[in-house]
Amino acid sequence: MDVLIQIIASGLTLGAMYAVATIGLSLVYGSLNMLNMAHGALLTLGGYICYATITHLGFHPALALIAAALVCAAAGLVIYAFATLPLLRAENFETNIFIATIGIGSIIENLMLKSFGPYPIPQPLGISGQVVIGNVHIPVQNILILVTALTLMAAVAFLLQKTRTGRAIRATSMNREAAQLMGVRVGQVYAQVLALSGALAAVSGIMISSIATLTPVMGGDPMLKAFIVCVVAGLGNVYGAVIAAIVLGLLEAATQYVFGVRWSFATLLLLVILVLIWRPYGLFGRGQVVRL
Amino acid sequence: MKRKSDLSKPNVIAGSRRNFLIRGSAATAATLTGLPAMLFAMNKEARAEGDPIPVGQCGPTTDFAAPDGIEFKNGLTLACEEINALGGILGRPLEPSFEDTAQMGDATNVQAAQRLIDRYGVHAIINGYNIGSGAAIQEVVADNGIIYVHYDTTIGHNNLVKSNPERYWGSFMGDPAETFYGSGFLKFLQGLETNGEWKRANNKMAVILSAGVYASNIANAVKEQAAQFGWEISLFETVSVPASEWGPTLAKIRQDPPAVICITHFLPADLAQFCLQFGPNPTQSLVYMQYGPSIPAFRDIGKETTNGILYATLVGALQDEIGTAFEKRYKEKFGANAGHNSGAQPYDGAYVWATSAALAGGSGEPGNNDQNKKVAARMSSMIWRGVTGTTRFVPIENAAYSYPTQVNDSSLGMPHQFLQIQDYTKGPALIAPAPYGTAKFVMPPWIKA
């Protein structure tokens, strides 16, 4: 019984980490058809800003979280102004922005390396304590990450479905030209989505670094896993991404226990291949390119 | 000898040796204890003001191994400054240049080494480690006839050099191969039992490794020799990197508790997470880890759950007169949190090469095989007592001897150091081998008497 509890606890922890990393990435792809390869670096930036504001500026953790979200939102706006906007005017936007954001991510990572050094640093924002079920100790921080992922998903859903901004985002994602003709300021929508994605990345980075520590390259693995989750769920489907993340986390933990840890990543990739063969548009995606 | 304007470069100490010695701190003077004094004597009255000798390093100053890469750079920088203060190599100052190898794939490593030669004309490459095959840069070095000292800690180097000593005469590994970790660890456990410091609860040992040559070779060495020491490998688990969630692996360990958990995966953040997740519900097992605990961040992250953890290194600064003086100088220059154990590697490597070059009458530029072969011959025959202990190269293999596994005389091999974190707020305690140990083994707090 303890083993089963441990697998579920580990699976939910992994799933929650993947989910928080995936929400921002999925939102940007779904809304803008833009695969933001700097997303992992934005996670890193958020984690470090939180660390710096608490440790060096003495901020309250809640204020530090807000500060990190604001800085990463601003970074999202910078990406919009200096990469997205110029490339939108050219052909092959999807390919060009993919390459450009790889470069931006590399710049952000190296700025973190120069600013904070190469050593792993513990994230000061976190909740101590454990919940004991049977003989399994589950850190409260892990539960917080799961709650955060679900809260962010609900918040994004509310924004997209119930607000004027959300309608503009959905209209732009369905047909950019038509939305423009209907009076939607497409440029403004892109800026809003990238800023929102940046803020979400900051929260994700803080949560992930709280159990995986801060390093300048910490965003790489969550970014890779988030991409896998997005592909399995259907690129751009935020709700599907969260559900897929949690299911994949549970699958990974079970694989690690039953077959060995070395098979877990291979199993994820095998699943991606099977999904792409069976449903190329993802488990929660639609055959037609209509997102969100 | 006329002073040259290029001595104003920051990596060259232009002051006179007399001023250096008179004004230098006690820590600085300590550089002249032991063999650096030999280099100082060979330089006679020469100041380090001749034509600079370019020396290079290609290491991982970005990406996941940057914590070590930056220390490698620091180590070579400090060595060059000190050697220049001693008069350089027969009056010629050393001028270091650096290239980044990021994720350290063989292709990247080879290109970085070639750039050092093409751009700067380096006479020697003095590295820390680059993971990868550990047998690629040697090709560039052989093609260009220069000297290469590295700390890749891989048996691949020994095998390569042994396969064709006529080609790889210039390549040296400043520490023993990683396979000594396996046998050394098993002997260490045997010693604890013999001395009555610890008694195994059963014969089971769990071995946890990550994919990669270094961790795999060590784990396989433990696995292959475990039976000779009465151990049964009850779990042989390969984890993927990064490994922040250890739940499933810990579930297996808790189902069948071993007397020893041997983790050859080496990233400090991952290992600290293991401690944090092992700590609340531990098994009655000694926990040994590879390398990661030597990085201060391991203790910062794992805090009290790291107390009692054992680890080892085949190359690291000793906690003796020479080693602690080096640590003091290093931290004064690079900050209190600087990792002097990583910096110690190219630091010692640079001294071995520079002293050998002085003995050989100078170093040679790329293509000057004749002169560099003389340097290599001096390196091969040298016994160097540095901050990491003794560097003495195995003939034909050009890799350092390991003490006590390979030689039983502490003055003839590099000590395989075993350390234990006994108080996470302080540095680790060196518990073996004799005569270098400064503390005794302490039973980990989670093991009941």
Side-chain angles (χ1 to χ4, degrees):
Chain A
M1 190 60 186
D2 283 347
V3 169
L4 186 63
I5 296 168
Q6 180 66 68
I7 289 171
I8 292 171
S10 294
L12 289 177
T13 302
L14 288 169
M17 283 171 66
Y18 300 160
V20 290
T22 305
I23 292 170
L25 187 74
S26 186
L27 176 70
V28 172
Y29 192 85
S31 312
L32 314 180
N33 209 25
M34 166 182 165
L35 194 51
N36 181 11
M37 297 302 285
H39 189 69
L42 289 174
L43 301 181
T44 310
L45 178 66
Y48 273 110
I49 296 295
C50 181
Y51 159 79
T53 50
I54 291 175
T55 309
H56 300 304
L57 301 179
F59 276 27
H60 185 276
L63 274 180
L65 193 141
I66 292 167
L70 288 175
V71 169
C72 288
L77 288 175
V78 169
I79 291 173
Y80 166 72
F82 292 100
T84 310
L85 194 57
L87 291 174
L88 263 175
R89 296 175 188 138
E91 287 183 2
N92 298 322
F93 170 73
E94 287 82 2
T95 310
N96 292 339
I97 197 69
F98 177 83
I99 303 294
T101 50
I102 290 175
I104 293 167
S106 180
I107 291 168
I108 294 173
E109 277 186 7
N110 280 288
L111 283 174
M112 295 301 100
L113 177 67
K114 292 289 178 197
S115 307
F116 297 99
Y119 286 105
I121 302 170
Q123 175 61 265
L125 191 152
I127 301 176
S128 57
Q130 310 220 333
V131 174
V132 182
I133 304 173
N135 285 317
V136 178
H137 295 244
I138 303 166
V140 175
Q141 182 67 23
N142 295 15
I143 297 168
L144 174 69
I145 294 174
L146 183 61
V147 171
T148 303
L150 295 173
T151 307
L152 290 180
M153 181 186 74
V156 171
F158 179 82
L159 174 84
L160 292 176
Q161 298 296 337
K162 303 290 182 187
T163 66
R164 187 181 171 84
T165 304
R167 276 199 297 278
I169 292 171
R170 282 188 289 140
T172 306
S173 76
M174 288 173 188
N175 190 320
R176 194 167 75 203
E177 285 76 22
Q180 211 160 10
L181 289 171
M182 294 295 121
V184 174
R185 291 180 179 174
V186 172
Q188 189 178 314
V189 167
Y190 272 60
Q192 285 171 340
V193 169
L194 279 166
L196 178 61
S197 165
L200 289 169
V203 178
S204 309
I206 294 165
M207 291 297 128
I208 292 169
S209 61
S210 68
I211 58 170
T213 66
L214 275 168
T215 64
V217 292
M218 61 159 269
D221 187 63
M223 173 77 200
L224 177 64
K225 298 288 172 56
F227 185 64
I228 290 172
V229 170
C230 279
V231 170
V232 170
L235 275 161
N237 190 314
V238 176
Y239 329 114
V242 172
I243 294 165
I246 291 169
V247 171
L248 286 178
L250 288 166
L251 176 72
E252 187 174 347
T255 308
Q256 287 180 357
Y257 181 79
V258 178
F259 300 109
V261 180
R262 66 184 178 281
W263 297 109
S264 61
F265 189 59
T267 305
L268 288 188
L269 294 179
L270 181 66
L271 189 71
V272 170
I273 293 167
L274 292 176
V275 167
L276 287 175
I277 293 169
W278 175 47
R279 286 175 68 91
Y281 35 85
L283 291 176
F284 300 94
R286 295 177 191 169
Q288 205 164 353
V289 186
V290 177
R291 297 188 172 82
L292 299 172
Chain B
M1 196 175 282
K2 290 181 180 176
R3 185 180 293 276
K4 289 199 168 184
S5 60
D6 55 10
L7 287 178
S8 60
K9 288 178 181 175
N11 56 330
V12 176
I13 298 172
S16 72
R17 287 178 301 134
R18 180 176 296 276
N19 285 346
F20 167 72
L21 290 171
I22 293 172
R23 294 174 189 168
S25 63
T28 312
T31 61
L32 292 185
T33 60
L35 289 164
M38 183 167 74
L39 179 64
F40 178 67
M42 279 187 294
N43 286 327
K44 296 182 182 169
E45 292 305 312
R47 291 180 184 180
E49 54 188 19
D51 288 336
I53 295 175
V55 54
Q57 182 182 86
C58 45
T61 49
T62 60
D63 223 289
F64 67 92
D68 286 328
I70 287 171
E71 302 302 349
F72 296 150
K73 186 177 179 182
N74 290 343
L76 182 60
T77 302
L78 181 61
C80 288
E81 287 184 5
E82 288 184 4
I83 290 167
N84 289 341
L86 296 171
I89 296 176
L90 303 180
R92 294 180 65 183
L94 303 182
E95 191 171 65
S97 301
F98 300 90
E99 289 286 337
D100 183 21
T101 52
Q103 295 191 356
M104 302 171 285
D106 278 348
T108 311
N109 299 343
V110 164
Q111 287 171 24
Q114 192 65 55
R115 274 200 302 276
L116 286 170
I117 294 165
D118 294 343
R119 281 187 189 168
Y120 308 106
V122 297
H123 293 203
I125 294 174
I126 314 288
N127 281 355
Y129 69 73
N130 284 292
I131 60 170
S133 72
I137 294 177
Q138 288 90 335
E139 300 296 342
V140 179
V141 166
D143 289 341
N144 290 276
I146 62 169
I147 298 294
Y148 173 39
V149 185
H150 67 88
Y151 291 79
D152 287 354
T153 323
T154 172
I155 194 70
H157 169 93
N158 304 47
N159 294 336
L160 180 76
V161 175
K162 200 163 49 179
S163 72
N164 191 353
E166 294 301 312
R167 174 167 170 75
Y168 302 112
W169 52 266
S171 290
F172 293 81
M173 187 163 73
D175 61 343
E178 80 283 50
T179 47
F180 287 103
Y181 273 117
S183 46
F185 171 57
L186 294 167
K187 280 188 179 175
F188 168 76
L189 291 177
Q190 191 178 44
L192 287 182
E193 289 188 292
T194 307
N195 297 336
E197 294 175 280
W198 169 76
K199 191 180 174 187
R200 63 175 90 176
N202 56 45
N203 291 328
K204 291 174 187 171
M205 182 184 293
V207 178
I208 300 166
L209 59 149
S210 53
V213 175
Y214 175 81
S216 302
N217 281 356
I218 298 169
N220 285 327
V222 172
K223 188 181 179 184
E224 284 162 13
Q225 298 171 63
Q228 295 170 32
F229 293 82
W231 292 103
E232 168 205 340
I233 304 299
S234 57
L235 178 69
F236 195 79
E237 180 82 326
T238 307
V239 298
S240 45
V241 179
S244 58
E245 177 54 48
W246 290 87
T249 304
L250 282 169
K252 289 183 188 179
I253 288 171
R254 287 172 182 139
Q255 264 196 323
D256 185 16
V260 173
I261 300 169
C262 168
I263 305 177
T264 66
H265 173 50
F266 58 91
L267 291 182
D270 292 355
L271 297 178
Q273 287 302 324
F274 177 91
C275 294
L276 287 167
Q277 292 167 41
F278 176 78
N281 186 15
T283 55
Q284 297 298 294
S285 321
L286 277 188
V287 179
Y288 166 86
M289 293 174 168
Q290 200 62 46
Y291 180 74
S294 67
I295 305 294
F298 171 79
R299 287 178 278 125
D300 291 344
I301 297 164
K303 296 202 164 38
E304 59 270 13
T305 61
T306 64
N307 285 340
I309 296 291
L310 295 164
Y311 74 96
T313 180
L314 287 166
V315 56
L318 286 165
Q319 297 176 5
D320 62 358
E321 187 183 338
I322 299 175
T324 49
F326 165 76
E327 180 182 0
K328 188 165 180 284
R329 292 198 303 282
Y330 193 89
K331 291 190 170 173
E332 275 173 2
K333 183 169 177 63
F334 301 113
N337 290 326
H340 69 289
N341 279 310
S342 302
Q345 299 169 27
Y347 177 87
D348 264 359
Y351 264 107
V352 171
W353 164 69
T355 308
S356 301
L359 284 166
S363 74
E365 68 283 2
N368 189 349
N369 292 28
D370 291 343
Q371 184 56 36
N372 281 328
K373 277 187 176 175
K374 289 178 191 169
V375 178
R378 291 293 185 180
M379 290 175 73
S380 296
S381 60
M382 179 173 280
I383 300 175
W384 179 267
R385 176 59 166 85
V387 299
T388 61
T390 299
T391 301
R392 183 172 69 107
F393 294 107
V394 180
I396 308 298
E397 297 181 11
N398 286 1
Y401 278 101
S402 180
Y403 164 77
T405 307
Q406 202 172 10
V407 293
N408 59 10
D409 182 336
S410 61
S411 68
L412 295 179
M414 187 166 283
H416 183 173
Q417 301 177 42
F418 283 86
L419 301 102
Q420 185 178 36
I421 293 170
Q422 298 179 344
D423 177 354
Y424 77 95
T425 61
K426 297 174 184 165
L430 178 57
I431 55 174
Y436 302 108
T438 55
K440 284 189 176 297
F441 167 79
V442 172
M443 195 66 79
W446 62 84
I447 294 186
K448 293 165 191 160

